[in-house]
Amino acid sequence: SIKTAEDIAGMRIAGKLASEVLDYITPFVKAGVTTGELDRLCHEFMTNVQDSIPAPLNYCPPGYTPYPKAICTSVNDVICHGIPGDKVLKNGDVVNLDITIIKHGYHGDTSRMFYVGEPSIMAKRLGDITYECMWLGIAKIKPGAHLGDIGHVIQQHAEKAGYSVVREFCGHGIGKVFHEEPQVLHYGRPGTLERLEAGMIFTVEPMINAGRRDIREMGDGWTIKTKDRSLSAQWEHTVLVTETGYEVLTVSAGTPPPPAFVQQA
Ligand SMILES: CCc1ccsc1-c1ccc(O)c(O)c1
Ligand SMILES: [Mn+2]
Ligand SMILES: [Mn+2]
Ligand SMILES: [Mn+2]
């Protein structure tokens, strides 16, 4: 849907709040903490400090069972939808924390990679290339561009690095609804699919595997892992299409800066 000025104002607030949850949780992501503790900390912050609502809690797309926690914690070979629990983070683990909050009916959806202690060179490189993939995709956003331009630039950057792009999950339109049109694929051909228009809001959230692109669903009905058990990384921003280009909405004091290649507007 093309957002009104009121929608955009609401989405700026929701995006900032979602980003501030990631700022808040950053110092807690250390060896010895459990993913369940990170979930509890984020949930309490949303409820008691932000007066926001965790969108994942009891979220239930058709065919799923209700998601039981407030955030997603995806460690190492988990691609996405990792459920917080008793898993104790240890030195060398890489973990994506994915936050979606609802404020005044609007959704803010963002995720970052966190490195517990010292990551391996391989893990850090995968995280960095994935961050570049997200930003290369974002940098393509302007009225008249095509969704295929976003997917193509992400896919070529990942595959040039020897990595693969997960196909089964994609970015999505977002607003008063968590997931709406359009689907934002992280692979594709330039000049194809829907043309972008000012007022569109969607996420760019590439999942990149160090090994092959194949996925495996775990028995808990949610967790997705790489079939070959290679590492997987993901970064996510919620982005508004503006008259002149784009505006990242999921920004706050602690948001990492874009890579150097992103022209500072
Ligand atoms: C728990 C959230 C959830 C459940 C089924 S898909 C999904 C999810 C998780 C992270 C996301 O960024 C997203 O857009 C959807
Ligand atoms: Mn992972
Ligand atoms: Mn997300
Ligand atoms: Mn999302």
Side-chain angles (χ1 to χ4, degrees):
S1 67
I2 299 298
K3 269 62 182 181
T4 65
E6 183 187 7
D7 292 336
I8 292 169
M11 289 297 283
R12 285 192 175 111
I13 292 166
K16 182 168 189 260
L17 288 171
S19 188
E20 287 173 338
V21 177
L22 288 173
D23 297 349
Y24 162 75
I25 200 62
T26 296
F28 296 99
V29 186
K30 297 292 174 212
V33 76
T34 69
T35 54
E37 285 159 357
L38 296 176
D39 175 72
R40 257 189 308 286
L41 286 161
C42 288
H43 196 171
E44 283 162 12
F45 184 75
M46 291 174 199
T47 305
N48 303 331
V49 176
Q50 296 191 331
D51 189 23
S52 70
I53 298 165
L57 193 56
N58 300 318
Y59 178 65
C60 193
Y64 283 77
T65 58
Y67 185 80
K69 293 288 182 177
I71 70 171
C72 297
T73 54
S74 301
V75 184
N76 297 334
D77 60 338
V78 176
I79 291 169
C80 61
H81 310 170
I83 301 177
D86 297 337
K87 183 178 186 56
V88 179
L89 295 180
K90 66 186 184 306
N91 187 57
D93 283 344
V94 296
V95 53
N96 176 281
L97 301 183
D98 199 325
I99 306 292
T100 310
I101 61 94
I102 308 170
K103 182 75 176 180
H104 302 321
Y106 292 103
H107 289 72
D109 184 0
T110 183
S111 82
R112 296 177 197 164
M113 291 301 288
F114 295 84
Y115 307 102
V116 181
E118 278 309 304
S120 71
I121 291 169
M122 294 261 293
K124 186 69 172 58
R125 178 171 182 268
L126 175 64
D128 291 346
I129 296 286
T130 304
Y131 191 62
E132 292 168 2
C133 283
M134 177 185 70
W135 271 105
L136 283 161
I138 291 172
K140 289 291 183 188
I141 295 171
K142 62 182 177 187
H146 289 263
L147 283 174
D149 305 338
I150 298 171
H152 178 73
V153 74
I154 288 171
Q155 181 177 8
Q156 65 87 23
H157 191 63
E159 292 178 353
K160 196 172 65 179
Y163 299 146
S164 61
V165 178
V166 170
R167 298 311 201 265
E168 292 80 355
F169 300 94
C170 59
H172 50 91
I174 187 171
K176 289 180 177 173
V177 174
F178 191 173
H179 296 105
E180 58 184 27
E181 290 304 312
Q183 289 200 328
V184 182
L185 304 183
H186 301 119
Y187 60 93
R189 290 182 295 116
T192 64
L193 304 177
E194 197 168 345
R195 290 176 79 94
L196 304 184
E197 287 177 56
M200 293 172 92
I201 298 181
F202 51 79
T203 68
V204 179
E205 48 179 297
M207 288 145 276
I208 307 299
N209 296 347
R212 295 154 49 89
R213 69 189 215 201
D214 307 272
I215 72 170
R216 270 289 167 276
E217 299 185 14
M218 296 298 112
D220 61 16
W222 285 108
T223 306
I224 307 294
K225 285 190 180 181
T226 55
K227 182 182 173 192
D228 62 8
R229 293 302 196 263
S230 65
L231 290 177
S232 186
Q234 181 177 30
W235 294 82
E236 177 180 25
H237 267 316
T238 296
V239 186
L240 165 70
V241 184
T242 67
E243 295 298 345
T244 57
Y246 65 86
E247 176 186 338
V248 177
L249 301 180
T250 38
V251 291
S252 58
T255 303
F261 66 74
V262 177
Q263 278 73 9
Q264 299 312 327

